[in-house]
Amino acid sequence: MRSREADHYCIVAVDAAKYVNTAIICTIYGDILKGPFEFDGSSTGFQVLKTEIDRTREAYQLTDVILGIETTAHYYEDLVRVCDEEGYLVRVVNAATTAEERRKLLNYSKTDRVDLNAIVQTLLQGHGETSRKKREDLEQLQTLTRARRRMVDEQTRCINRIRLYMDHIFREFQGKNVRRDGKNQLVKVFDEFTSKTSLFLMKHYPHPSDILALGQEGLRNLSKTHNLKLRQTAIERLLTYAEESISKPKEALTSELLLLRLKLDEYELIRRQIAELEEVIEHLLLLTDGGILLSIPGIGVTLAAELTAEMGDLEAFTSASQLIKMAGTNPVVKQSGGKAASHFAISKQVRAPFRSVVYQAGKCTALFNPEMNAHYQRLKERGKLTGQAFIAIGNRILRLAYAMRKQQTLYQSQQPDYVLQKVIAGKLRNQAKQALFYDRFVIQ
């Protein structure tokens, strides 16, 4: 903007939407050359934009095109790509930045014209990020890992609904309170609510009357026939709890039984979809430079994939601190008047999904990585809360992951019992994928 040629720059602001985009063309001084005009999100719409830009450039003898586009959901992505291919210098502007620009102008209205003017002012002040071509492998990995995360959340909600229906149908199936040594203790039938045996019984014999009709012999035969591995203690508890249950008669629970069956089918579907996604994610991870993160104890396949995907292409960063800020896990520092600086909570800016992954990385390594666990204990001794300690270790892992991916170096452990082969075998069950890991990251 400070160069001598800046007077001849063509500034284009675009407000992207699902069906109809809006644009405005002006000079670096903010003088409007072409008022707001609309174009759709297809190739014909892009030709309308290109035609208006060419006409304006020719009429006012302008040269380079600087196009600013606001990050509206995902609608801006294809437009950014085709503008890049056309040779325009594309600047991607955060929606929060344009909102702040509107506040500076003391304009609380939100119309297409106001939004476009805010984008123009944002560009002229040097804000926004120059569009970079995304690596397709990392982009696909991010799409799949985020989809998996949503499915896991949906699976959790599904399990909660199943628990709710079972509360109505056979509450004691999830366990019963027993008084032992003067204390209340929950005694469960199954250690895992969603185990194979538990799911089978909920689907085919959900009501206490169904369990009582089977009896001990029927439950044993059922276990043998369907390989449920029902222990004798579980059989006895099931029968006792069913006999003592005060649930409604089965005839009065028709709606709950139907909804339970539908939710169980939904749970099975989601579980299969997650398994299919995880298979593809595992393969994609090993094709990226992020596969090397599997050498870190406590970082499994899914977490390594999420971390790699959210970090993205490291060519865009010069230090791990930039990634920490992008995740919003950097502490907010307040200092004024010569007083000592105070560190408050984390900023929680930019990418919430990235922040969640950093937290999970800190939590998993604090629990399952001996070296990180020692660091976690030191943080706790200094008075850090559990969540704060997990974030601190997550940032530590982020710095480590940045260095490992940049330099393509394996995790260097100081633990005498650390064996890379054992760590990888515990994460990659398929021998062909183990071989792929060693060929890519070990044998060089």
Side-chain angles (χ1 to χ4, degrees), residues 17-21 39-49 78-79 82:
K18 184 171 184 177
Y19 297 112
V20 181
N21 306 309
F39 61 98
D40 63 59
S42 66
S43 60
T44 54
F46 176 68
Q47 287 302 317
V48 171
L49 173 66
D78 287 332
L79 190 55
V82 294

Side-chain angles (χ1 to χ4, degrees), residues 92-299:
V92 180
V93 179
N94 192 292
T97 306
T98 54
E100 186 64 30
E101 193 60 40
R102 284 198 300 271
R103 281 192 287 270
K104 286 181 183 178
L105 298 172
L106 298 179
N107 192 332
Y108 299 97
S109 300
K110 190 181 186 305
T111 64
D112 288 341
R113 191 180 191 94
V114 171
D115 288 344
L116 289 169
N117 284 329
I119 294 171
V120 169
Q121 292 304 316
T122 301
L123 287 175
L124 297 181
Q125 292 175 32
H127 297 302
E129 180 184 16
T130 302
S131 171
R132 299 181 180 89
K133 289 186 178 180
K134 294 182 178 179
R135 280 177 49 184
E136 288 188 7
D137 54 351
L138 295 177
E139 190 175 7
Q140 288 181 24
L141 196 60
Q142 185 183 83
T143 300
L144 293 176
T145 51
R146 288 187 177 182
R148 179 196 168 277
R149 178 69 63 180
R150 289 192 295 270
M151 281 189 180
V152 169
D153 292 340
E154 187 61 38
Q155 185 183 50
T156 301
R157 287 191 287 270
C158 189
I159 292 171
N160 290 337
R161 298 303 297 182
I162 293 172
R163 287 185 181 276
L164 174 64
Y165 297 138
M166 285 303 294
D167 282 343
H168 291 287
I169 298 167
F170 184 6
R171 183 184 304 173
E172 296 80 4
F173 186 86
Q174 300 177 59
K176 182 181 176 183
N177 180 68
V178 177
R179 192 81 174 170
R180 290 180 179 173
D181 300 327
K183 295 181 180 179
N184 291 327
Q185 183 180 350
L186 178 64
V187 179
K188 297 181 179 180
V189 178
F190 306 105
D191 294 332
E192 183 64 44
F193 180 68
T194 54
S195 65
K196 175 185 174 181
T197 306
S198 177
L199 290 170
F200 181 87
L201 290 176
M202 283 191 288
K203 189 166 188 176
H204 300 285
Y205 305 94
H207 196 263
S209 61
D210 297 328
I211 301 297
L212 293 173
L214 285 169
Q216 282 207 26
E217 192 63 31
L219 286 169
R220 287 197 196 96
N221 291 334
L222 202 65
S223 178
K224 292 177 183 177
T225 305
H226 298 279
N227 193 28
L228 301 179
K229 298 180 181 177
L230 261 172
R231 297 192 300 268
Q232 183 61 31
T233 53
I235 292 174
E236 291 174 358
R237 284 176 188 169
L238 266 175
L239 291 170
T240 302
Y241 293 173
E243 191 173 352
E244 296 175 355
S245 176
I246 56 171
S247 296
K248 292 179 183 178
K250 192 173 182 178
E251 299 75 26
L253 293 166
T254 307
S255 299
E256 287 82 358
L257 288 165
L258 172 62
L259 292 172
L260 173 66
R261 181 173 58 79
L262 293 176
K263 275 296 171 186
L264 287 168
D265 290 342
E266 182 182 340
Y267 172 76
E268 288 294 335
L269 174 62
I270 294 173
R271 191 167 67 169
R272 288 198 302 271
Q273 289 175 337
I274 290 174
E276 184 177 349
L277 267 180
E278 288 176 345
E279 186 70 22
V280 179
I281 287 170
E282 183 178 77
H283 178 70
L284 276 177
L285 173 65
L286 293 173
L287 297 180
T288 70
D289 56 8
I292 202 166
L293 302 182
L294 293 176
S295 61
I296 305 174
I299 300 290

